[in-house]
Amino acid sequence: MTIKPLWRVAFASLMCLLLIQPAFSEEQEKKEGEHDWLIKHPTIQKLLKLHNQERARNGMPALKLNTKMCLQAQEHATWMADTGYYQHSSLPWPEIIFQGPTTAASAVNGWIASPAHHSIMLTGTQVGFGYMVRNGQHYWVGVFK
């Protein structure tokens, strides 16, 4: 058995990585739009717009939607709607929730009117929103980082 010089092993490994990388990139591109149904939903977009308008009034930069955070916020909104429980989640980010308002504008205005919720709205640079209606009840969730 012969041992190849170290540079040949390193070079061969690098070439393998370079050949494999395009396959990973193509796979990642396919997944990028996987959750567009949520982050491009008109209600979620309205929540983002209204939050960013309030942040601009307070001299804060615009938030960007984070897909993972949106999915988890949506999961919590769905859980509240399914169970009828109205409570905060155990998500690892500052969170605002609301039950009752029937429009995104009403939910955001309610959060603005609450000093504790308003201060959370003005934190972070990324956000995730969730929204669900069940049996006539509207549930809203926002998480920030």
Side-chain angles (χ1 to χ4, degrees):
M1 177 168 125
T2 61
I3 298 176
K4 295 182 180 179
L6 186 57
W7 71 269
R8 285 186 183 176
V9 172
F11 180 74
S13 298
L14 180 61
M15 292 306 294
C16 285
L17 285 175
L18 291 174
L19 291 173
I20 293 170
Q21 180 60 36
F24 286 131
S25 296
E26 289 170 17
E27 185 176 314
Q28 288 169 347
E29 285 176 26
K30 288 178 188 174
K31 289 184 179 180
E32 277 184 25
E34 183 177 0
H35 301 292
D36 283 355
W37 62 271
L38 178 57
I39 62 173
K40 292 184 178 180
H41 190 280
T43 301
I44 301 301
Q45 288 295 312
K46 182 75 170 177
L47 287 167
L48 179 64
K49 179 182 176 184
L50 293 168
H51 272 75
N52 282 336
Q53 286 173 351
E54 179 61 18
R55 288 172 63 91
R57 279 192 289 276
N58 287 274
M60 302 296 296
L63 294 165
K64 292 188 181 355
L65 281 179
N66 177 304
T67 303
K68 176 183 176 186
M69 293 170 69
C70 280
L71 288 168
Q72 292 187 336
Q74 183 62 45
E75 184 177 291
H76 185 59
T78 301
W79 176 83
M80 287 192 297
D82 288 346
T83 63
Y85 290 113
Y86 174 64
Q87 65 187 41
H88 285 280
S89 70
S90 60
L91 293 174
W93 309 293
E95 175 184 67
I96 55 179
I97 61 174
F98 215 152
Q99 177 188 9
T102 58
T103 67
S106 296
V108 171
N109 287 333
W111 284 324
I112 290 170
S114 164
H117 291 94
H118 188 246
S119 67
I120 292 172
M121 290 173 66
L122 300 178
T123 64
T125 58
Q126 297 179 48
V127 68
F129 292 115
Y131 162 75
M132 182 57 69
V133 179
R134 184 90 72 232
N135 299 323
Q137 289 293 320
H138 297 249
Y139 297 85
W140 306 87
V141 177
V143 290
F144 301 78
K145 79 170 181 176

